[in-house]
Amino acid sequence: VQLQASGGGLVQAGGSLRLSCASSGRSFSTYHIGWFRQAPGKEREFVAAIRWSGSRTVYAASVKGRFTISRDNAKNTVWLQMNDLKPDDTAVYHCAASITYGSEAVYYGFWGQGTLVTVSS
C-alpha cells in the first residue's frame, strides 16, 4: 500500500492543523494506520493509531486530548486533527500502515513520506 501524507505547515502555538494520509491502494481499508513524528535530533515517536475499521484509536500521552485520528475508507484517507499545538509538536509527521494494531513502529511495514509541522511560540 502506498501512502501520501500532506497538510503540514507553519502555525502559531495554540493553533490547529489537519494532516491527511491518502492511499491509492485498494487494500487501504484492511490496514491499521498510525502517525509517527520525528523532531530534529530526536528519535521517532508514536503519535496515534486507528484500527482498519475505525472502531478503536490510541494516542500518545503527549497528544491525548489535543489530537484526533479518524478515517474514511471510502476515501482511502486517514486524518490527524491537531489542536492546541505546542512548539514541542514541531516535527516531520509520517503516516504508516500495519496489519498489526499498535503503537510500535516495528509493526508498520509501509511508510509514506513525511510532512513538516512547525509550531512557533
Side-chain angles (χ1 to χ4, degrees), residues 15-20 35 47-48 59 63 65-70 78-85 93:
S16 299
L17 281 175
R18 188 174 79 157
L19 305 184
S20 298
W35 285 97
V47 176
Y59 298 91
V63 307
R66 300 188 297 122
F67 290 11
T68 302
I69 188 171
S70 61
V78 168
W79 296 277
L80 184 68
Q81 177 67 43
M82 306 186 297
N83 298 329
D84 189 22
L85 283 160
Y93 285 70

Side-chain angles (χ1 to χ4, degrees), residues 31-36 46-52 56-60 69 96-108 111:
Y31 286 93
H32 312 301
I33 301 296
W35 285 97
F36 295 80
F46 169 77
V47 176
I50 187 166
R51 287 184 64 88
W52 67 270
R56 185 172 293 183
T57 58
V58 61
Y59 298 91
I69 188 171
S98 172
I99 59 173
T100 301
Y101 178 67
S103 62
E104 298 294 328
V106 68
Y107 294 162
Y108 292 81
W111 292 79

